[in-house]
């Protein structure tokens, strides 16, 4: 196998730069002369009619060069991706606390931030809807309720031997990318702009800036070298910062930079949607579901953003690995006067999956069965392979993975050990749970499943690789470079990775939906193969060419006037979805995995700890096992944080109270379980012809952490003798654990 | 010598990679992070939060300790420039890219997005050279003040564990530090400080800046005249007397930890869970007391142990119990021009039952929801002494007098503990905020007493399960 080829654990292409502090992010770039620093003046209260803005004190503040409001925007005042309801600067109405009202440009970041607090806002407060329940009571939705169904759920429920209803609340999540939102705009000739943005979606930033300023897309170039983390939080949420820079650069003719303060960033950018999930499930005495109705409701926030697709994905994953013979999934998308929620790793999938895993635990508690037995009884299988959206599950490896993990990790023996532990302890109780993951891969909005790449081979045999995907730490660039190096049979260092630019590859989709490698890897492979074919064809005409080095081949091909550059394009085949009926094949394939988590709780304080975790995850044939393992571990820990320590708290006016790491607690190194065994499933191979038969890995592992929540549920149950499912909501903070114990003890007398 | 600075104009001299850097006209509350990034263009040190909670800005600060340099990791985002005066600084760029910690981070895939990475590198590097607050600590504790959102930490922990601790030759740095002339004019004795505060009582006292740093970075406040007390040797004394531990007000958590652990292991564990290494290397015991927070970590424990404060104004000193120092929310018994000079913590008798427990959403580097501390003496099966204090249960850290009364003179048994647990409801009206509801706080405070009883017969800590 040649050096640099696929299936090898190569380090991240920027690793040497990362550790040396030499990898440049937006704010690290040299500051051009005359640079202006920006800050938004944010609304400090919630929903209101905006009467007037008195910005005299802002303009007079030291260092302020210019102040802009909605009236200063020459084109469309919008940074919303799909529905144009996300204003860059408020106009007439304040929709949520934190909303930008005006924009300050000053000679330093501190001057801009100080001045931004001096605006006098005259606004008439209006009633606010903060919670899902508030919005439901008012019937305020960002789009009409959606319904996905197969079979007759009502009839199946009515005839079911057992029937249960219940609900679970699932909290939201802040992305907490370590690099806050940042952008830099440089004015060019004839009104053109060059924007460096920390965004997952350079093309969208380009298009939004163009319409904001009455420019064409060709006037605007957006560049991304790397992001300091994103996780979905820079898919749409990067746009306002880039747009603000573009506005100031266009208006003043000076370069402009916006680096959001952490608190401002957390207050003003969207988060994972919090959900409530209700169920009405009928099942037989083996715990096998015969009919189910799931009712999902989410807090979308003040504007549409990506909420329709996110809530769709929640519906798509409310089956997880389980066959639901008669099913209705109802999804309410609620508008609240809070910051607009957005994409976050899993994109609604985790919340849908939490709902059905809750149902599994409920059935097991009711029948007093091992929850794993109930899960296995409900898995997709031969003759039971149609999803609620009528797609056949053709690549189902969940049963194998679950059985293998249970065996490797000693599920049966550990369950017995834990029962013994719980019998001999009164304060501490342990819980164990194994939950699977099946995650659909493709953008469910079909047209987004396309990608382009540009491969340039130079006459000295060096290669520049460019594609439409963005690097946010996930290792996309090294994987795609491995694919290209493999095509040419050259060492990996020959392939130079360059920044993502809209002037190299146009009309790209966001790097999202775990699809970065699937789409861009394939496009780059095609571009490389085009050049490789030309080289091979040329070499075939020259006797003795077989002895040439790659460098020699390129030099000779150039002299023979062979083109050494090519674009490549890929559009995912075979997918399609009818959203009106919620039927079709939205996904090319599914990624699978399973995790076994063991937890211990303190029944007097609610404190808890994840003691041990075993993971078996399917990445197809891994392009880079080290990168994939990193995604699995990182995704799991991020999911564990979502379900345990990370709590978003809003006040009655919709103001976020947890807007800094002092109050919002993501996991630390000591929260990582002491025993953590992560394995890539050795037999993994994509049934679909993806790039080298690999599978996407960005999002699916996050949902492995649902095993932690289920294990905590088991531990709480062990604290209260008798049967019944603990009334535990997520995140399972110590306070919620203790409340669930008390409630179950009260219920069981 | 001008001890008091208002506005800019101060001069700061420090060592960076062997070179003396002089910053003139510094803002007293300008951050070291901004100076590095935007003046020196050393952009490897990152801003992740600007409040000392993420560690992306971790740098090492060096001071002479005998003929050696003692290094400590700190957060540059809330380190004011004057605090750099006369010291040595190392940033990620100082390591050159090929240090074993950096090589291990690459080899073990310890970086993904790379933004937090320089901070981790500096924390791990600090451990390998025996920097303050890392001695004998597991790698997990060394990096608990560094947040990573990508990796899940496994590869970073492995990288840290792969590099052994070994002292670096710092002779030349020590030499350079010896000949470095500080430029800012911080007070160097307690007498100087006392005189300054007497004539300028409105002066803001800054010790570690782990709290006031946020007034600047987050509230954008102008602190007015400031005085930095972190480098006053008299205030950094640790005296381990047979009957008490006496800590100068500017003793940092990291420096106090061993002595506190010797006083009682629960105190050491409490300190381990205050901030991260970087915060413990900056924050002081005196600052934690003097700022009067209802959820400060140390006060409940120190009140239960019967600690006393020495306050000084000019040449006058007075001693009060710590519990009397806290008058009401945001109000302490400290006169204008007065400052906390030291805290004296009586050494508990070996037969005392001491328990100090901190509850928070996250174990490490989190602010207390409820902190309970209890000191009991049980003689012949009867409780003869009880001092109990809680944080997070009222506007100030306060004694639980009703609970104590329910214990004293009673037999040490489950019924007494239950009565004492229920008596807490008479002692407190708990806080109700994002760290916990009043109901939860009231419930767990009582449960902490029940847990102390339960632990006599079974293990109760999830951290050691």
């Amino acid at each position: 196998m040649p050096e640099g080829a696929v299936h090898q654990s190569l380090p991240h292409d920027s690793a040497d730069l990362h550790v040396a502090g030499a990898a440049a992010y937006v704010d690290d770039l040299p500051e051009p002369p005359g640079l202006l620093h920006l800050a938004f003046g944010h609304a400090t209260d919630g929903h209101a009619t905006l009467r007037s803005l008195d910005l005299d004190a802002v303009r007079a503040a030291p260092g302020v060069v210019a102040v802009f409001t909605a009236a200063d925007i020459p084109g469309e005042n919008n940074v919303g991706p799909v529905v144009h309801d996300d204003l860059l600067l408020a106009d007439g109405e304040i929709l949520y606390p934190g909303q930008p009202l005006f924009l300050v440009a000053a000679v330093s970041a501190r001057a801009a931030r100080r001045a931004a607090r001096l605006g006098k806002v005259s606004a008439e407060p209006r009633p606010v809807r903060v919670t899902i329940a508030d919005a439901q009571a008012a019937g305020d939705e960002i789009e009409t309720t959606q319904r996905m169904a197969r079979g007759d759920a009502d009839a199946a429920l009515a005839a079911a031997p057992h029937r249960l209803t219940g609900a679970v609340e699932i909290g939201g999540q802040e992305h907490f990318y370590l690099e806050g939102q940042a952008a830099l705009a440089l004015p060019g000739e004839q009104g053109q702009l060059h924007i460096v943005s920390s965004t997952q979606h350079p093309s969208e930033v380009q298009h939004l800036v163009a319409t904001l300023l009455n420019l064409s897309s060709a006037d605007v170039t957006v560049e991304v070298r790397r992001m300091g983390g994103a996780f979905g939080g820079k898919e749409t949420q990067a746009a306002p910062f880039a747009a603000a820079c573009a506005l100031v650069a266009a208006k003043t003719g000076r370069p402009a930079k916006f680096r959001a303060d952490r608190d401002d960033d957390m207050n003003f950018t969207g988060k994972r949607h919090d959900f409530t999930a209700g169920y009405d499930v009928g099942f037989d005495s083996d715990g096998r579901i015969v009919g189910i109705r799931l009712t999902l409701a989410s807090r979308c926030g003040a504007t549409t953003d990506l909420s329709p697709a996110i809530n769709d994905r929640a519906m798509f994953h409310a089956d997880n690995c389980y066959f639901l013979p008669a099913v209705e999934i109802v999804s309410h998308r609620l508008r609240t006067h809070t910051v607009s929620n957005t994409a976050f790793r899993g994109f609604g999938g985790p919340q849908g999956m939490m709902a059905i895993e809750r149902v599994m635990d409920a059935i097991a508690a009711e029948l007093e069965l091992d929850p794993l037995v109930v899960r296995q009884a409900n898995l997709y299988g031969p003759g039971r392979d149609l999803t609620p959206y009528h797609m056949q599950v053709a690549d189902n490896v969940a049963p194998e993975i679950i059985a293998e993990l249970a065996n490797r990790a000693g599920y049966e023996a550990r369950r017995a050990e834990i029962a013994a532990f719980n019998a001999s302890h009164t304060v501490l109780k342990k819980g164990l749970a194994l939950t699977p993951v099946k995650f659909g891969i493709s953008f469910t909005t079909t047209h987004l499943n396309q990608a382009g790449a540009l491969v340039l081979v130079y006459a000295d045999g060096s290669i520049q690789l460019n594609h439409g995907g963005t690097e946010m730490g996930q290792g996309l660039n090294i994987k795609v470079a491995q694919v290209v190096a493999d095509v040419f049979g050259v060492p990996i260092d020959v392939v130079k990775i360059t920044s993502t630019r809209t002037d190299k590859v146009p009309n790209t989709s966001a790097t999202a939906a775990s699809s970065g490698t699937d789409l861009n890897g394939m496009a780059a492979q095609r571009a490389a193969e085009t050049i490789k074919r030309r080289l091979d064809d040329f070499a075939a005409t020259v006797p003795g060419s077989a002895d040439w080095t790659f460098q020699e081949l390129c030099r000779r091909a150039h002299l023979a006037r062979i083109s050494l550059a090519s674009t490549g394009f890929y559009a995912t085949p075979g997918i399609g979805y009818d959203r009106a009926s919620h039927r079709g094949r939205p996904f090319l394939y599914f990624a699978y995995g399973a995790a076994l988590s063991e937890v211990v709780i303190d029944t007097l304080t609610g404190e808890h700890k994840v003691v041990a975790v075993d993971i078996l995850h399917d990445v197809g044939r891994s392009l880079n096992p080290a990168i994939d393992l990193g995604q699995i571990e990182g995704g799991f820990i991020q999911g564990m944080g979502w379900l345990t320590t990370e709590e978003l708290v809003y006040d009655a006016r919709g103001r976020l109270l947890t807007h800094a790491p002092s109050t919002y607690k993501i996991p630390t190194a000591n929260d990582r379980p002491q025993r953590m065994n992560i394995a890539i499933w050795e037999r993994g191979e994509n049934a679909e012809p993806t790039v080298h038969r690999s599978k996407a890995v960005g999002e699916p592992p996050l949902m492995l952490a649902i095993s932690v929540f289920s294990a905590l549920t088991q531990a709480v149950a062990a604290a209260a003798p008798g049967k019944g499912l603990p009334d535990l909501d997520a995140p399972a903070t110590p306070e919620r654990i203790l409340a669930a114990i008390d409630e179950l003890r009260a219920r069981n007398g | 010598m001008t001890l008091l600075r208002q506005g800019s104009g101060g001069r700061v001299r420090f060592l960076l990679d062997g070179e003396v850097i002089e910053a003139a006209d510094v803002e007293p509350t300008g951050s070291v992070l901004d100076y590095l990034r935007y003046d020196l263009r050393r952009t490897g040190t990152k801003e992740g939060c600007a409040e000392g909670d993420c560690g992306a800005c971790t740098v090492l600060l060096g001071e002479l300790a005998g003929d050696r340099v003692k290094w400590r990791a700190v957060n540059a985002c809330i380190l004011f420039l004057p605090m750099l005066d006369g010291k040595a600084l190392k940033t990620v760029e100082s390591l050159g890219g090929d240090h074993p910690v950096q090589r291990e981070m690459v080899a073990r895939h310890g970086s993904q997005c790379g933004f937090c990475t320089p901070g981790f590198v500096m924390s791990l590097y600090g451990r390998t050279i025996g920097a303050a607050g890392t001695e004998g600590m597991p790698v997990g504790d060394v990096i608990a003040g560094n947040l990573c959102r990508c990796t899940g930490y496994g590869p970073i922990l492995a990288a840290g564990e792969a590099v052994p601790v070994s002292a670096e030759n710092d002779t030349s740095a020590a030499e350079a530090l010896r000949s470095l002339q500080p430029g800012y004019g911080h007070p160097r004795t307690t007498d100087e400080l006392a005189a300054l505060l007497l004539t300028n009582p409105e002066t803001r006292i800054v010790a570690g800046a782990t709290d006031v740093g946020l007034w600047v970075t987050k509230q954008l406040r102008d602190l007015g005249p400031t005085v930095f007390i972190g480098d006053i040797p008299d205030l950094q004394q640790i005296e381990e007397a047979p009957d008490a531990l006496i800590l100068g007000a500017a003793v940092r958590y990291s420096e106090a930890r061993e002595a506190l652990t010797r006083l009682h292991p629960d105190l050491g564990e409490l300190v381990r869970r205050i901030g991260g290494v970087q915060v413990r290397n900056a924050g002081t015991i005196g600052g934690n007391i003097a700022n009067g927070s209802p959820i400060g970590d140390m006060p409940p424990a120190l009140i239960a142990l019967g600690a006393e404060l020495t306050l000084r104004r000019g040449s006058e000193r007075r001693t009060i119990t710590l519990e009397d120092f806290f008058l009401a929310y945001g109000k302490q018994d400290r006169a204008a021009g007065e400052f906390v000079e030291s805290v004296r913590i009586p050494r508990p008798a070996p037969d005392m039952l001491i328990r100090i427990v901190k509850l928070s959403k996250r174990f490490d580097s989190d602010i207390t929801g409820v902190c309970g501390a209890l000191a009991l003496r049980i003689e012949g099966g009867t409780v003869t002494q009880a001092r109990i204090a809680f944080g997070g249960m009222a506007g100030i850290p306060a004694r639980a007098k009703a609970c104590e009364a329910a214990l004293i003179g009673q037999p040490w048994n489950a019924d007494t503990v239950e009565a004492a647990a229920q008596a807490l409801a008479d002692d407190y009206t708990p806080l109700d905020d994002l760290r916990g509801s009043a109901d939860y706080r009231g419930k767990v405070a009582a449960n902490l007493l029940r847990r102390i009883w339960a632990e006599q017969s079974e293990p109760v800590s999830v951290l050691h399960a």
Side-chain angles (χ1 to χ4, degrees):
Chain A
M1 188 178 290
E3 227 182 316
V6 290
H7 312 307
Q8 293 189 31
S9 286
L10 301 183
H12 192 287
D13 47 282
S14 294
D16 287 331
L17 300 178
H18 293 156
V19 299
Y25 304 81
V26 173
D27 192 48
D28 300 337
L29 299 173
E31 296 188 336
L35 179 68
L36 295 175
H37 299 262
L38 311 188
F40 284 128
H42 294 280
T44 51
D45 193 12
H47 188 209
T49 302
L50 180 58
R51 295 282 181 222
S52 65
L53 281 173
D54 175 357
L55 302 178
D56 290 350
V58 183
R59 291 197 173 87
V64 171
V65 172
V67 181
F68 300 105
T69 64
D72 299 307
I73 296 170
E76 186 187 5
N77 180 6
N78 174 58
V79 287
V82 183
V83 176
H84 291 196
D85 61 355
D86 248 314
L87 305 189
L88 173 61
L89 297 171
D91 192 0
E93 187 181 12
I94 296 171
L95 295 173
Y96 61 95
Q99 186 176 3
L101 307 178
F102 59 93
L103 174 63
V104 184
V107 295
S108 74
R110 190 169 175 85
R113 289 178 62 207
R114 280 198 156 180
R117 297 187 184 189
L118 301 176
K120 293 191 183 67
V121 180
S122 170
E124 200 175 300
R126 289 164 64 176
V128 295
R129 293 187 281 282
V130 173
T131 64
I132 290 171
D134 291 346
Q136 276 184 314
D140 198 353
E141 301 175 317
I142 59 119
E143 71 166 348
T144 54
T145 293
Q146 301 290 304
R147 182 177 172 277
M148 178 185 282
R150 210 197 61 251
D152 186 343
D154 279 331
L157 282 167
H162 301 272
R163 190 165 172 179
L164 272 178
T165 60
V168 61
E169 290 180 14
I170 305 155
Q173 187 177 25
E174 159 64 31
H175 303 83
F176 210 83
Y177 28 68
L178 263 288
E179 180 209 23
Q181 303 277 356
L184 170 69
L186 305 167
E189 292 178 0
Q190 296 177 316
Q192 294 179 350
L193 288 169
H194 185 99
I195 297 170
V196 186
S197 169
S198 183
T199 177
Q200 293 171 249
H201 202 344
S203 282
E204 188 164 87
V205 168
Q206 177 196 25
H207 302 153
L208 288 169
V209 164
T211 53
L212 187 91
L213 298 176
N214 284 331
L215 298 172
S216 71
S217 290
D219 291 320
V220 182
T221 300
V222 178
E223 176 179 3
V224 186
R225 176 58 186 91
R226 62 173 62 81
M227 285 165 270
F231 316 110
K234 295 173 180 173
E235 183 169 353
T236 64
Q237 304 294 296
F241 302 93
C245 291
L247 178 67
V248 171
K251 285 279 185 178
T252 65
R254 292 170 67 168
K257 178 162 83 175
F258 203 141
R259 177 176 62 82
D261 168 69
R262 175 63 60 183
D263 290 63
D264 291 343
D265 187 319
M266 288 178 75
N267 273 317
F268 155 60
T269 65
K271 303 163 201 326
R272 185 187 296 287
H273 293 60
D274 46 326
F275 270 63
T276 59
Y279 56 84
D280 182 350
V281 61
F283 49 96
D284 66 19
S285 50
D286 295 330
R288 193 176 283 219
I289 292 173
V290 296
I292 187 167
R293 175 177 297 105
L294 290 166
T295 307
L296 308 178
S298 78
R299 167 154 56 184
C300 298
T303 62
T304 309
D305 191 71
L306 300 171
S307 289
I310 290 164
N311 283 275
D312 284 0
R313 192 168 271 271
M315 298 168 81
F316 286 128
H317 290 82
D319 61 340
N320 196 13
C321 295
Y322 312 114
F323 177 62
L324 307 175
V327 51
E328 181 181 30
I329 302 166
V330 178
S331 164
H332 304 291
R333 293 101 195 264
L334 297 151
R335 185 190 304 276
T336 51
H337 300 114
T338 52
V339 63
S340 196
N341 283 327
T342 192
F344 193 147
R345 200 177 200 169
F347 203 75
Q351 296 95 319
M353 217 175 274
M354 270 288 285
I356 194 68
E357 292 302 338
R358 180 71 170 180
V359 170
M360 294 297 148
D361 285 337
I363 294 171
E366 177 67 19
L367 298 177
E368 297 184 84
L369 291 172
D370 176 352
L372 180 58
V373 170
V374 173
R375 287 186 165 94
Q376 287 177 308
N378 281 289
L379 292 174
Y380 282 112
R384 294 164 46 86
D385 59 0
L386 207 57
T387 66
Y389 44 95
H390 298 257
M391 174 175 167
Q392 193 190 14
V393 180
D395 57 7
N396 182 23
V397 294
E400 283 174 79
I401 288 178
I402 292 169
E404 195 170 324
L405 178 65
N407 184 39
R408 279 190 198 194
Y411 179 81
E412 286 300 333
R414 284 169 64 188
R415 205 170 135 80
E417 282 166 26
I418 283 173
F421 178 95
N422 288 340
S424 62
H425 290 71
T426 58
V427 176
L428 300 182
K429 297 288 179 184
K430 286 189 173 183
L432 183 76
L434 192 162
T435 62
V437 168
K438 163 182 134 286
F439 194 77
I441 303 299
S442 291
F443 287 98
T444 61
T445 304
T446 305
H447 82 265
L448 299 176
N449 295 288
Q450 56 173 307
L454 176 65
V455 174
L456 308 176
V457 178
Y458 294 89
D460 68 352
S462 62
I463 299 169
Q464 265 193 9
L465 165 62
N466 200 281
H467 55 80
T470 57
E471 176 65 43
M472 59 197 91
Q474 81 279 44
L476 168 64
N477 281 342
I478 186 66
K479 282 185 171 180
V480 178
Q482 284 175 272
V483 170
V484 169
D486 178 73
V487 171
F488 291 113
V490 298
I492 190 74
D493 340 343
V494 172
V495 182
K496 302 297 174 190
I497 291 160
T498 59
S499 51
T500 309
R501 296 174 60 120
T502 57
D503 57 356
K504 286 208 174 165
V505 178
N507 308 318
T508 54
S509 294
T511 306
S514 306
S515 68
T517 305
D518 281 10
L519 298 178
N520 296 289
M522 207 61 127
Q525 187 181 43
R526 287 180 177 182
E529 281 171 351
T530 300
I531 301 168
K532 180 70 162 55
R533 256 194 314 277
R534 292 182 200 141
L535 289 169
D536 288 347
D537 291 349
F538 163 64
T541 67
V542 186
S545 62
D547 297 334
W548 294 347
T549 61
F550 183 69
Q551 288 82 349
E552 182 68 7
L553 173 62
C554 293
R555 193 182 69 81
R556 302 254 194 161
H558 172 64
L559 294 175
R561 299 188 297 174
I562 308 289
S563 166
L564 296 179
S566 177
T567 60
F569 186 78
Y570 175 74
T572 310
I575 53 174
Y577 187 66
D578 177 40
R579 190 161 184 262
S581 62
H582 285 295
R583 285 184 184 216
R585 182 183 177 184
F587 305 117
L588 181 63
Y589 64 91
F590 295 100
Y592 297 86
L596 173 65
S597 291
E598 180 179 331
V599 303
V600 60
I601 66 170
D602 176 336
T603 58
L604 289 174
T605 62
E607 291 170 294
H608 49 83
K609 183 100 187 127
V610 182
V611 177
V613 171
D614 294 88
I615 291 172
L616 189 57
H617 196 78
D618 164 36
V619 296
R621 292 188 58 207
S622 175
L623 286 170
N624 183 324
I627 296 283
D628 287 348
L629 283 167
Q631 289 298 299
I632 296 167
E633 176 172 345
F636 178 88
I637 296 295
Q638 197 172 71
M640 183 185 84
W642 168 48
L643 296 171
T644 56
T645 56
E646 296 183 34
E647 185 176 29
L648 293 166
V649 182
Y650 295 88
D651 73 6
R653 290 291 295 172
R655 282 178 293 231
L656 182 66
L657 301 178
T658 48
H659 48 74
S662 52
T663 47
Y664 184 78
K665 311 311 286 187
I666 72 169
T668 70
N670 277 339
D671 294 310
R672 180 186 192 270
Q674 287 273 332
R675 284 159 49 206
M676 200 162 177
N677 302 312
I678 305 172
I680 290 174
W681 193 47
E682 296 86 347
R683 281 178 286 154
E685 171 152 354
N686 203 327
E688 297 293 330
T690 54
V691 61
H692 294 279
R693 298 278 172 180
S694 63
K695 284 191 176 184
V697 70
E699 293 165 293
L702 182 126
M703 284 149 275
L704 296 169
I706 294 172
S707 58
V708 170
F709 189 79
S710 284
L712 287 168
T713 305
Q714 298 303 316
V716 170
K723 76 172 193 179
L725 181 72
D727 188 10
L728 183 64
D729 292 321
T733 57
E735 179 163 353
R736 287 208 179 82
I737 298 263
L738 198 59
I741 291 169
D742 286 352
E743 192 277 334
L744 190 61
R745 282 180 176 160
R747 206 193 314 160
N748 287 344
Chain B
M1 186 187 291
T2 311
L3 299 179
L4 193 64
R5 300 277 171 202
Q6 284 183 293
S8 58
R11 184 181 299 275
V12 168
R13 279 200 207 90
F14 66 99
L15 277 175
L16 181 60
D17 302 342
E19 191 187 341
V20 177
I21 308 273
E22 179 167 310
D25 281 338
V26 302
E27 289 282 338
T29 57
S31 78
V32 170
L33 177 62
D34 283 355
Y35 186 76
L36 282 171
R37 290 183 56 79
Y38 308 116
D39 287 78
L40 299 184
R41 298 299 313 169
R42 283 202 173 213
T43 54
T45 308
K46 309 298 184 192
E47 177 180 315
C49 69
E51 61 172 37
D53 263 303
C54 82
C57 63
T58 302
V59 294
L60 296 189
L61 208 52
E63 289 162 273
L64 270 182
D67 56 356
R68 294 210 46 222
V69 181
K70 186 66 185 176
W71 296 95
R72 58 186 159 108
V74 292
N75 290 307
C77 66
I78 48 172
L79 186 72
F80 295 137
L81 266 172
M83 298 165 77
L84 203 50
D85 192 35
K87 300 193 176 71
L89 184 68
K90 285 191 197 209
T91 70
V92 68
E93 289 88 352
S94 309
L95 271 58
D98 201 33
H99 187 272
V101 162
Q102 293 171 309
R103 290 203 301 269
E104 290 295 337
M105 282 286 281
V106 173
R108 294 167 193 274
H109 310 280
S111 74
Q112 286 186 24
C113 85
F115 197 84
C116 68
T117 312
F120 276 97
V121 165
M122 292 310 285
S123 286
L124 293 176
Y125 166 68
R127 174 183 168 273
T128 70
I129 61 167
T134 67
E135 304 91 341
M137 271 206 165
V139 176
D141 286 346
V142 172
I143 60 173
N146 292 84
L147 297 178
C148 169
R149 195 54 153 165
C150 295
T151 63
Y153 299 105
I156 303 175
L157 289 162
E161 278 151 13
V163 184
V165 176
S166 67
E168 254 181 17
N169 181 350
D170 52 16
T171 316
S172 62
E175 194 60 42
L177 266 178
R178 253 191 297 278
S179 50
L180 179 69
Q181 282 296 318
Y184 197 79
H186 295 303
R188 296 287 159 183
T189 67
T190 314
D191 291 343
E192 280 181 18
L193 174 67
L196 182 147
L197 291 172
L198 200 60
T199 47
N200 303 278
E202 76 290 0
T203 302
R204 177 76 60 196
I205 302 171
V206 181
T210 56
D211 193 22
V212 293
L214 277 69
W215 301 3
V216 175
T217 61
K218 296 301 173 181
Q219 299 169 18
L220 307 180
R221 274 166 69 175
D222 182 348
L223 294 187
T226 49
V227 63
F228 294 89
I229 65 164
D231 292 325
I232 300 177
D234 319 350
L235 283 181
Q236 294 178 305
Q237 300 300 314
I238 299 175
E239 187 189 341
E240 294 194 71
D243 62 334
L245 171 65
I246 299 129
L247 299 172
V251 171
R252 294 184 286 262
Y253 294 114
S254 290
E255 299 161 332
R257 183 164 171 248
E258 285 184 17
L260 288 167
T261 305
R262 282 191 285 272
L263 196 87
H264 194 275
D266 278 17
L267 270 178
E269 171 64 5
L270 179 68
V271 171
R272 184 189 72 79
R273 285 180 52 191
I274 293 174
V277 168
Q278 300 94 321
V279 167
R280 298 194 291 272
N281 275 338
T284 63
I285 306 285
N288 192 236
I289 291 168
N291 84 1
S293 167
I295 48 174
D297 281 298
M298 296 303 293
L302 300 186
I303 290 172
L305 292 169
E308 293 173 336
L309 290 186
T310 296
L311 292 128
R312 177 168 172 187
R313 184 173 180 278
S315 57
E316 293 165 25
R317 289 188 173 85
R318 66 188 173 108
T319 298
I320 60 171
T321 65
L322 180 56
E323 63 203 89
D324 288 341
F325 179 68
F326 302 107
L327 300 175
Y329 178 78
K331 193 164 158 42
Q332 298 90 43
D333 180 10
R334 185 166 69 86
E338 199 173 35
F339 63 98
V340 176
E341 192 172 45
S342 64
V343 56
R344 181 181 183 280
I345 312 163
R347 210 170 279 286
D351 62 344
M352 297 275 292
L353 174 62
I354 310 281
R355 283 295 172 272
I356 300 162
V357 181
K358 168 175 170 168
L359 298 177
S360 49
K361 277 186 204 170
R362 188 176 70 191
F363 287 108
D364 291 272
S365 194
D366 195 359
I367 293 167
T368 289
V370 172
C371 187
L374 167 147
L376 297 181
R377 168 162 270 152
I378 298 151
E379 293 169 296
T382 300
V383 182
T384 56
Q385 284 178 37
R387 283 179 69 90
I388 296 171
F390 277 86
M393 294 290 286
I396 54 171
R399 289 271 293 274
K401 295 283 177 65
C403 178
E404 291 173 3
L407 287 164
I408 295 170
Q410 299 300 313
W412 177 238
N413 61 30
D415 289 345
T416 299
V417 170
E418 186 55 35
Q422 292 186 16
L424 281 172
D426 299 330
D427 283 316
Y428 298 117
T429 306
L431 301 184
D432 191 309
D433 62 20
L434 59 94
R435 295 197 173 84
S437 67
D439 181 55
Y440 172 73
R441 283 178 154 125
K443 206 156 63 178
V444 286
N447 278 353
L448 286 181
L449 278 140
R450 297 180 181 116
R451 198 172 80 171
I452 288 164
W453 178 257
E455 74 175 24
Q456 298 185 106
S457 49
E458 61 174 307
V460 297
S461 169
V462 297
L463 290 178
H464 305 111

